[in-house]
Amino acid sequence: MAATMKDIARRTGLGLATISSYFNGGNVREKNRKKIEEAIEELHYEVNEVARGLKTNATRTVGVVIPELNNVFCAEIITEMEDILRNHGYATIVCDCRTNPALEQEAVEFLSRKRVDGIINMPVDTEGGHLRKFLKTGRPVVLIDRKIQGAACDSVLVDNEKAAEDAMDLFFANGHRTIGIIGGPEEISTAQERLSGYRKSFEKHGIPFRESLICRGDYTIQGGVRGLETLVKNNPDMTAVFVTNYEMTMGAVIGLNELGIQVPDQLSVIGFDNLQFARACSPKLTIVSQPTVEIAREAAGLMLKRLESGGDTGAYVTEKLNTEIIAGRSVRCVAGWEPGTPDRKHQA
Amino acid sequence: MAATMKDIARRTGLGLATISSYFNGGNVREKNRKKIEEAIEELHYEVNEVARGLKTNATRTVGVVIPELNNVFCAEIITEMEDILRNHGYATIVCDCRTNPALEQEAVEFLSRKRVDGIINMPVDTEGGHLRKFLKTGRPVVLIDRKIQGAACDSVLVDNEKAAEDAMDLFFANGHRTIGIIGGPEEISTAQERLSGYRKSFEKHGIPFRESLICRGDYTIQGGVRGLETLVKNNPDMTAVFVTNYEMTMGAVIGLNELGIQVPDQLSVIGFDNLQFARACSPKLTIVSQPTVEIAREAAGLMLKRLESGGDTGAYVTEKLNTEIIAGRSVRCVAGWEPGTPDRKHQA
DNA sequence: ATGAAAGCGCTAACAA
DNA sequence: TTGTTAGCGCTTTCAT
């Protein structure tokens, strides 16, 4: 068995309170401080955070529940959040729920039993049922990436509608008119918003589009491959494709590759996330890039604020961050159009 | 405050032992079982794992310390390990130490204070000093990917020498003779072994090579970019390059892209890991693929065995798994050679 | 099958 | 500044 504070007390002849005081930044006489440190050394003492957690009713641990760890967007955010939380003395327990709502619910319950002080969640269950019980305990939740209507917690989101609109506007500015989209799952808010941006841009430019240009993907690599194949098959006249997350972007590139389609000569492409992958594509891919580091900072910041403020429930905050377009060479200017020509909406 | 077992006892009129027995699979009279379940429901009771952990001196939590979460190889392994461990009732606390030995040491100490039952570690500190104290407590450690000489624990490794040899043999079989390598950091065992396989293959084929063909990378994307640029600049006659981890492979592809070098016409390439990325490259990249799922299964399995066996220290195991080559179209057959022609070692 | 009671290692209130 | 003590929520003897 590991040494306890009692052992240190015995060895130094001091009382428990003194030892505890030593570990919690209290005032301890220099002489005793030394004695304690010697004892720690000799007994290989290490604070037992489990006991401390039981007593203080705070584990200084934050739970993180995400759909998929093996996903660059999630991994980047977690890396950064973990860093920040650790620097503030908080541990992180990450639960990957494999995009499965049942597992997600289990994960939250599991973390609740572990008495984490708060949960940061990129939700799979868009109703938020999995969080209800946890929220009742009064512990804070911060949602990232996807919103849940009416959830009693802070959220950190991205302006997905604008992200999609920007991408589409770029296509239009280069003369494209028949533009496909590989969207995400219907129930996920980011997918809804990106699709809405797609539609909005068509409207704004006064250009009709047909339903066959919209392909519902599932945010996976294989979904991207299939999405691209479907779009190409059903729309021989399509000149551009917008892919709405990283995994599907990779899938679309695989599909283009395997079908032998030249980018951008035969098809223009705008993808999503992961600048390094975009650089590795030939020609370099134009992408919409999400501010993962900022998302992480905001989320960790909001969580810390709730945790440090001792539970006085301030109004819930929803942050909305902006994406940017990183230009590559995967968008071609359609014949007869000058690059960057303003669209003809107001002239037509 | 959350409800406790005491509250349930009060509400049902039963004793604490009965409630505890209920939660731990003991025998409880049907009538009482019902009463307890009602009380749980009404009080929103949830077991407090912190208190349980203090009492049982076991947290059913495994710590995982890795150099970088934001790394596909690590992420894949962790995803799978977490899944397995969870299915056996164990939680996972992941610590990303940012390839920093000081942070790695801190992470282990942190996990130790949290009283994790065991640690799975992909070590940065090749001496293993960071684990010494933890090992003294008698709790199990499983090392993955990189070995530490004389460490008192199980290890799950990959046969890196053979992996490199296989890749090089493929180059030789296609008539390449001037083959560069982008290696990893000197102190990391996987890098040493892969370089050793590189050298061995040259020897085996009785072909000399010059030092300028060996480039020391750092296992990062940017390192791969620089590595490729250096090799190309210093070796105009080089016909092939072997890149020895995934991040550097991506970097090398970026470098090739940005220098406008055609693969495989101007340069043949074999990369490492991540089949999906390989498929996304044009032409499809030939890669050495590591068995991430198996690594995870072995590591989790070894850990569970130690944990369930109640600490009777069986002999330490070192598993060594095999890689495989996934063929793409990035290796060209040098003029004058039939594809797959056996090398001329024994004929010359 | 159930109840009473001790104690895991720590913190914090109180007393000295 | 330091010591004494109670108790956090649970498991686990030991009785009954």
Side-chain angles (χ1 to χ4, degrees):
Chain A
M1 276 298 297
T4 72
M5 278 178 33
K6 241 185 194 159
D7 296 324
I8 299 199
R10 228 191 324 267
R11 181 144 191 133
T12 56
L14 295 165
L16 272 179
T18 313
I19 320 288
S20 177
S21 177
Y22 169 87
F23 283 114
N24 295 294
N27 282 331
V28 177
R29 206 173 302 172
E30 191 49 34
K31 198 174 59 178
N32 290 332
R33 169 168 246 105
K34 258 221 170 97
K35 270 207 251 177
I36 295 175
E37 276 160 7
E38 275 173 30
I40 291 174
E41 196 61 38
E42 289 175 37
L43 299 170
H44 301 300
Y45 174 79
E46 251 179 340
V47 172
N48 184 333
E49 296 282 358
V50 177
R52 187 180 267 178
L54 175 61
K55 179 66 195 182
T56 60
N57 197 28
T59 51
R60 296 192 75 79
T61 302
V62 172
V64 176
V65 182
I66 48 155
E68 195 79 48
L69 221 190
N70 189 5
N71 166 306
V72 185
F73 178 65
C74 292
E76 278 182 10
I77 292 175
I78 291 179
T79 300
E80 186 69 21
M81 286 198 309
E82 204 230 315
D83 220 27
I84 298 170
L85 293 171
R86 191 199 6 242
N87 285 333
H88 287 258
Y90 285 87
T92 306
I93 300 188
V94 180
C95 295
D96 169 346
C97 71
R98 304 291 193 111
T99 317
N100 176 341
L103 275 183
E104 184 177 45
Q105 166 123 19
E106 268 181 42
V108 172
E109 284 168 7
F110 170 82
L111 291 169
S112 190
R113 287 193 303 268
K114 283 257 173 218
R115 293 301 193 265
V116 295
D117 298 337
I119 288 181
I120 298 177
N121 177 215
M122 177 163 157
V124 171
D125 175 352
T126 53
E127 303 293 322
H130 60 298
L131 293 169
R132 227 183 310 275
K133 255 170 135 181
F134 184 82
L135 282 168
K136 267 193 199 142
T137 68
R139 286 172 286 182
V141 168
V142 175
L143 252 32
I144 55 179
D145 189 57
R146 303 165 181 183
K147 67 176 146 209
I148 290 180
Q149 291 299 341
C153 61
D154 300 321
S155 304
V156 180
L157 308 173
V158 149
D159 193 338
N160 287 293
E161 189 170 81
K162 180 160 178 308
E165 247 185 286
D166 288 350
M168 293 301 291
D169 287 355
L170 181 62
F171 278 142
F172 281 114
N174 280 281
H176 294 275
R177 291 296 174 265
T178 312
I179 308 165
I181 183 172
I182 306 182
E186 260 178 287
E187 64 281 8
I188 295 181
S189 67
T190 58
Q192 293 159 3
E193 293 158 11
R194 287 168 200 169
L195 189 56
S196 151
Y198 169 86
R199 291 205 160 96
K200 213 161 152 185
S201 184
F202 268 103
E203 277 172 34
K204 194 168 64 184
H205 290 83
I207 291 173
F209 68 96
R210 51 177 191 265
E211 283 300 319
S212 72
L213 286 168
I214 297 179
C215 174
R216 281 280 178 200
D218 59 0
Y219 277 171
T220 68
I221 295 178
Q222 208 41 49
V225 179
R226 275 195 301 266
L228 184 98
E229 289 167 353
T230 309
L231 280 182
V232 166
K233 198 178 71 189
N234 297 344
N235 304 278
D237 57 334
M238 180 176 72
T239 64
V241 175
F242 175 40
V243 195
T244 59
N245 87 332
Y246 167 60
E247 274 68 30
M248 294 196 303
T249 299
M250 194 180 220
V253 172
I254 291 173
L256 290 163
N257 225 350
E258 296 181 352
L259 292 175
I261 296 172
Q262 296 298 323
V263 174
D265 295 341
Q266 294 174 262
L267 197 63
S268 291
V269 178
I270 297 180
F272 226 93
D273 284 335
N274 202 338
L275 178 56
Q276 300 299 353
F277 176 72
R279 285 177 73 196
C281 290
S282 171
K284 182 181 169 190
L285 210 60
T286 294
I287 52 165
V288 172
S289 177
Q290 298 189 82
T292 50
V293 171
E294 274 210 38
I295 294 172
R297 286 194 186 146
E298 284 296 336
L302 287 169
M303 176 54 73
L304 286 169
K305 206 161 139 194
R306 296 273 171 202
L307 293 176
E308 319 271 66
S309 78
D312 58 308
T313 335
Y316 296 118
V317 174
T318 296
E319 300 276 354
K320 200 165 226 174
L321 305 176
N322 281 309
T323 58
E324 65 181 316
I325 290 198
I326 313 263
R329 319 187 124 272
S330 63
V331 177
R332 130 170 189 275
C333 184
V334 169
W337 281 80
E338 297 293 314
T341 301
D343 68 78
R344 288 190 284 198
K345 177 175 64 163
H346 302 294
Q347 307 163 29
Chain B
M1 278 300 295
T4 71
M5 276 177 34
K6 241 186 195 160
D7 297 323
I8 299 199
R10 228 189 325 266
R11 183 146 188 130
T12 56
L14 294 165
L16 273 179
T18 312
I19 321 288
S20 178
S21 177
Y22 169 86
F23 283 113
N24 294 293
N27 281 332
V28 176
R29 205 174 304 175
E30 192 48 35
K31 199 174 59 179
N32 291 331
R33 169 168 247 105
K34 259 224 170 97
K35 271 206 250 176
I36 295 175
E37 276 160 8
E38 275 174 29
I40 291 174
E41 197 59 38
E42 288 176 37
L43 299 170
H44 302 298
Y45 174 79
E46 250 179 342
V47 172
N48 184 334
E49 296 283 357
V50 177
R52 187 179 268 180
L54 175 60
K55 181 66 195 180
T56 59
N57 197 28
T59 51
R60 296 193 74 81
T61 302
V62 172
V64 176
V65 182
I66 48 155
E68 196 79 49
L69 220 189
N70 189 6
N71 166 307
V72 186
F73 178 65
C74 292
E76 278 182 10
I77 292 175
I78 291 180
T79 300
E80 186 70 22
M81 285 197 309
E82 205 230 315
D83 220 28
I84 298 171
L85 292 171
R86 194 206 353 251
N87 285 333
H88 288 257
Y90 285 87
T92 306
I93 299 188
V94 180
C95 295
D96 170 347
C97 72
R98 303 292 193 113
T99 317
N100 176 342
L103 276 182
E104 183 177 45
Q105 166 124 21
E106 269 183 42
V108 172
E109 284 169 7
F110 169 83
L111 291 169
S112 191
R113 287 194 301 270
K114 283 260 174 214
R115 295 299 193 265
V116 295
D117 297 337
I119 289 181
I120 297 177
N121 177 215
M122 177 162 156
V124 171
D125 175 351
T126 53
E127 303 293 322
H130 60 298
L131 293 169
R132 227 183 308 276
K133 255 172 134 179
F134 184 82
L135 282 168
K136 267 196 199 141
T137 67
R139 286 171 285 181
V141 169
V142 175
L143 253 31
I144 54 179
D145 190 55
R146 303 165 181 183
K147 67 175 143 210
I148 290 180
Q149 291 298 340
C153 61
D154 300 321
S155 305
V156 179
L157 308 172
V158 150
D159 192 339
N160 286 293
E161 189 171 81
K162 179 158 178 308
E165 248 186 284
D166 288 350
M168 293 301 292
D169 288 355
L170 181 62
F171 277 143
F172 281 114
N174 280 281
H176 294 275
R177 292 296 175 263
T178 312
I179 309 165
I181 182 172
I182 306 181
E186 258 177 291
E187 65 282 8
I188 295 181
S189 65
T190 58
Q192 293 159 2
E193 293 158 9
R194 286 168 200 169
L195 189 57
S196 152
Y198 169 85
R199 291 206 161 96
K200 214 161 153 186
S201 184
F202 268 102
E203 276 171 36
K204 194 168 63 181
H205 291 82
I207 291 172
F209 69 96
R210 50 178 193 264
E211 282 300 319
S212 73
L213 286 169
I214 297 180
C215 175
R216 280 282 178 198
D218 60 359
Y219 277 172
T220 69
I221 295 178
Q222 207 42 51
V225 179
R226 277 195 301 268
L228 185 98
E229 289 167 354
T230 309
L231 279 182
V232 167
K233 200 178 69 189
N234 296 344
N235 303 279
D237 58 334
M238 181 177 71
T239 64
V241 176
F242 175 41
V243 195
T244 60
N245 87 332
Y246 168 61
E247 274 66 30
M248 295 197 303
T249 299
M250 193 179 219
V253 172
I254 291 173
L256 290 163
N257 224 349
E258 296 181 351
L259 291 176
I261 295 172
Q262 297 297 324
V263 174
D265 296 341
Q266 295 174 262
L267 197 63
S268 290
V269 178
I270 297 180
F272 226 93
D273 283 335
N274 203 337
L275 178 56
Q276 300 298 352
F277 176 72
R279 285 177 74 194
C281 290
S282 171
K284 181 180 171 193
L285 210 59
T286 295
I287 52 165
V288 171
S289 178
Q290 298 187 84
T292 50
V293 170
E294 273 208 38
I295 294 173
R297 288 196 184 144
E298 285 295 337
L302 286 170
M303 177 55 74
L304 286 169
K305 206 160 139 196
R306 296 273 172 204
L307 293 175
E308 319 272 65
S309 78
D312 57 308
T313 335
Y316 296 119
V317 174
T318 295
E319 299 275 355
K320 200 166 225 174
L321 305 175
N322 281 309
T323 57
E324 66 181 316
I325 291 198
I326 312 263
R329 321 186 122 271
S330 64
V331 177
R332 128 170 190 276
C333 184
V334 169
W337 279 80
E338 296 294 312
T341 300
D343 66 77
R344 287 189 284 196
K345 178 173 58 160
H346 302 293
Q347 308 163 29

